[in-house]
């Protein structure tokens, strides 16, 4: 089975490390790359094809809503630690595949596969 190519867009180093630890620990069939900003994500998406994108909602230079434009049909899962009931609606209307809330115990990582 070929590895699933994932782009993780996350500006928090602790969440990046938690994602990596989860993928390795669970032996998930993912080949993943990480970037930390909207600008980096746009550059990566312009040159590399991914099977899925996982993006933190709030990025230092924009939001995951703007990632939808660059995703060009690639399934996008938005995640956030801070939000309100309007953000999931905006996410789905923008084309997001799913929207998850980051919990302090990082149980949301178990939902991703």
């Amino acid at each position: 089975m070929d590895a699933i190519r994932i782009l993780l867009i996350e500006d928090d180093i602790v969440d990046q490390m938690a994602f990596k630890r989860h993928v390795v620990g669970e032996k998930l069939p993912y080949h993943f790359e990480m970037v930390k900003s909207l600008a980096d994500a746009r550059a990566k998406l312009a040159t590399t094809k991914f099977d899925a994108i996982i993006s933190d909602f709030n990025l230092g230079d924009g939001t995951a809503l703007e990632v939808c434009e660059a995703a060009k049909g690639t399934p996008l899962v938005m995640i956030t630690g801070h939000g309100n009931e309007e953000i999931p609606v905006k996410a789905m209307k923008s084309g997001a595949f799913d929207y998850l809330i980051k919990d302090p115990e990082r149980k949301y990582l178990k939902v991703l596969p």
Side-chain angles (χ1 to χ4, degrees):
M1 177 166 88
D2 291 335
I4 299 168
R5 296 185 47 80
I6 295 177
L7 176 62
L8 176 68
I9 310 166
E10 175 60 71
D11 58 351
D12 185 311
I13 190 74
V14 174
D15 285 329
Q16 287 179 359
M17 291 183 328
F19 179 83
K20 182 177 181 178
R21 188 173 44 248
H22 181 71
V23 169
V24 172
E26 295 295 318
K27 297 181 176 111
L28 297 173
Y30 298 168
H31 169 79
F32 61 92
E33 296 186 42
M34 294 186 207
V35 295
K36 62 182 180 175
S37 69
L38 176 60
D40 292 345
R42 285 180 172 152
K44 184 60 73 174
L45 289 166
T47 61
T48 309
K49 173 100 171 100
F50 294 93
D51 298 312
I53 302 166
I54 301 168
S55 181
D56 186 19
F57 184 79
N58 290 309
L59 303 166
D61 58 348
T63 70
L65 296 174
E66 296 167 275
V67 174
C68 282
E69 299 166 13
K72 300 177 185 161
T74 303
L76 170 65
V77 175
M78 292 186 195
I79 53 176
T80 189
H82 309 285
N84 57 47
E85 50 282 336
E86 292 176 16
I87 293 176
V89 172
K90 288 180 183 178
M92 295 310 195
K93 286 184 177 181
S94 294
F97 181 78
D98 206 345
Y99 180 89
L100 299 173
I101 303 292
K102 291 182 193 177
D103 56 292
E105 297 83 27
R106 293 187 174 77
K107 291 180 184 175
Y108 74 95
L109 291 171
K110 294 181 184 214
V111 175
L112 285 172

